[in-house]
Amino acid sequence: MVPSTTVSVAVNIDGTLYGAKDARISVFDHGYLFGEGVYEVVRTYGTRIFLYPEHMRRLRASADRIALTCPVDDEVMLGRIRETLAAAALDGDAYVRILLTRGVGEIVYDPSACPSPSVVVIVKPHADPPASALADGVRLALADIVRNHPGSVDPAIKSNNLLNNALAMQQAYREGAFEALMKNHRGELCECAQSNIFFVRNGVLLTPPASAGLLVGITRAFVLDLAAGIGVPVEECVLREDDLASVDEAFITSTTREIVPVVTIGSHTIGGGRPGPVTQSLIAAFTAAIPNHLS
Ligand code: PDD
């Protein structure tokens, strides 16, 4: 159990609470052995979870794609998240990582070797992007590594196989960039290592389509709806590095980052090198809409 003095990080493994130091999973879990698992990252505003049904729907869709079934329903999972949040006793917003792995079994690929999937919930403090990122915009590395081919490990599966993402981020760290923008096997811009990418050109909001091979972000969908709601035309379209010269604004979206303006991508300066007005309007619309989507 979590000692009462422990704060900040708490973990729930298959329904039992642990402190950070005691949270252990077997080395025979196929999540560890083979990366066989899926996950979600949700966040709270205060104690309430943002877009919970949408995240659970995607968790189940990801699990389906690897022939894995989540053994708990949304209500039970919500109960576990709430218990874990209570154990972490955070002062502010929480980062919640939900992991579902194949479970423990013999070292063989046969799924029937693992009778029960493991369900883990990790709660830790949420960290907002630095204020300077929002005020001044960030730089993205243009990753050399190609995003996974959808016919291989499909990026639409929010999989624990994150080596592709980790390698892209290694380049970002080397270059001192905030994120890494990846291209797909056709050389089209598709998504970042941990977020989706958007552009604004001539007042139109542009983002690569799902067919580019990307994780269909919950925040991406939320922002597309917000844009429609404030009268910004939206187009999902193929974008290439050449397009970076003609876009006026860029930003990234994710659960933990909401919307972060982008002012440099690789060697390209975006727009005037300052966060643009459409990005700012969407940030304001996002903030205003949060209270209507909390569980
Ligand atoms: N990352 N693309 C990738 C590759 C991602 O890992 C993420 C999310 C997104 C944005 O998805 P969403 O809006 O649903 O968070 C896009 C999470 C936050 C993470 O792994 O920490």
Side-chain angles (χ1 to χ4, degrees):
M1 286 298 294
V2 182
S4 57
T5 51
T6 302
V7 288
S8 294
V9 178
V11 182
N12 187 308
I13 304 177
D14 297 325
T16 304
L17 285 171
Y18 300 88
K21 283 213 296 275
D22 303 315
R24 303 249 188 283
I25 197 113
S26 166
V27 294
F28 296 102
D29 192 300
H30 286 201
Y32 178 77
L33 286 170
F34 307 142
E36 261 192 281
V38 294
Y39 77 105
E40 280 296 319
V41 174
V42 298
R43 65 159 292 175
T44 69
Y45 291 89
T47 55
R48 298 178 66 199
I49 302 165
F50 187 52
L51 298 173
Y52 179 67
E54 288 82 352
H55 281 281
M56 285 306 293
R57 215 172 296 134
R58 188 173 63 185
L59 182 73
R60 289 179 203 290
S62 294
D64 266 3
R65 295 283 307 275
I66 65 163
L68 184 61
T69 304
C70 182
V72 294
D73 65 21
D74 288 13
E75 229 174 278
V76 170
M77 188 74 90
L78 188 58
R80 288 191 189 177
I81 294 171
R82 289 206 197 293
E83 275 177 30
T84 318
L85 283 167
L90 301 178
D91 290 335
D93 302 340
Y95 168 106
V96 182
R97 195 172 184 102
I98 305 166
L99 300 111
L100 172 63
T101 62
R102 182 72 65 198
V104 175
E106 275 298 314
I107 309 180
V108 293
Y109 287 128
D110 184 354
S112 70
C114 304
S116 42
S118 306
V119 180
V120 172
V121 176
I122 302 172
V123 167
K124 65 182 187 106
H126 163 77
D128 278 326
S132 62
L134 287 177
D136 304 328
V138 298
R139 186 149 56 86
L140 308 184
L142 202 45
D144 295 324
I145 191 159
V146 172
R147 187 69 174 119
N148 286 338
H149 190 296
S152 176
V153 178
D154 190 342
I157 303 170
K158 196 161 171 63
S159 148
N160 289 346
N161 273 266
L162 290 166
L163 195 51
N164 186 228
N165 314 52
L167 291 175
M169 277 309 295
Q170 284 182 14
Q171 182 178 345
Y173 290 121
R174 279 197 303 274
E175 296 181 10
F178 186 80
E179 244 286 24
L181 176 59
M182 287 185 275
K183 297 177 185 174
N184 67 15
H185 60 287
R186 293 188 292 264
E188 304 160 6
L189 305 175
C190 61
E191 67 171 334
C192 298
Q194 307 168 79
S195 45
N196 292 115
I197 185 81
F198 284 82
F199 300 97
V200 178
R201 184 162 56 197
N202 302 326
V204 180
L205 185 63
L206 308 174
T207 196
S211 59
L214 49 86
L215 181 74
V216 182
I218 305 293
T219 321
R220 175 183 179 278
F222 191 67
V223 166
L224 287 171
D225 282 351
L226 285 177
I230 61 169
V232 175
V234 167
E235 210 181 301
E236 294 181 52
C237 64
V238 171
L239 292 148
R240 296 194 172 76
E241 188 174 348
D242 283 354
D243 289 299
L244 296 180
S246 60
V247 297
D248 307 310
E249 303 180 32
F251 61 85
I252 55 172
T253 63
S254 86
T255 297
T256 52
R257 290 160 172 172
E258 302 178 345
I259 296 174
V260 173
V262 171
V263 292
T264 311
I265 301 178
S267 58
H268 308 271
T269 302
I270 304 299
R274 299 289 310 159
V278 176
T279 307
Q280 308 282 19
S281 307
L282 286 166
I283 292 173
F286 194 109
T287 305
I290 291 167
N292 304 326
H293 300 275
L294 299 174
S295 297

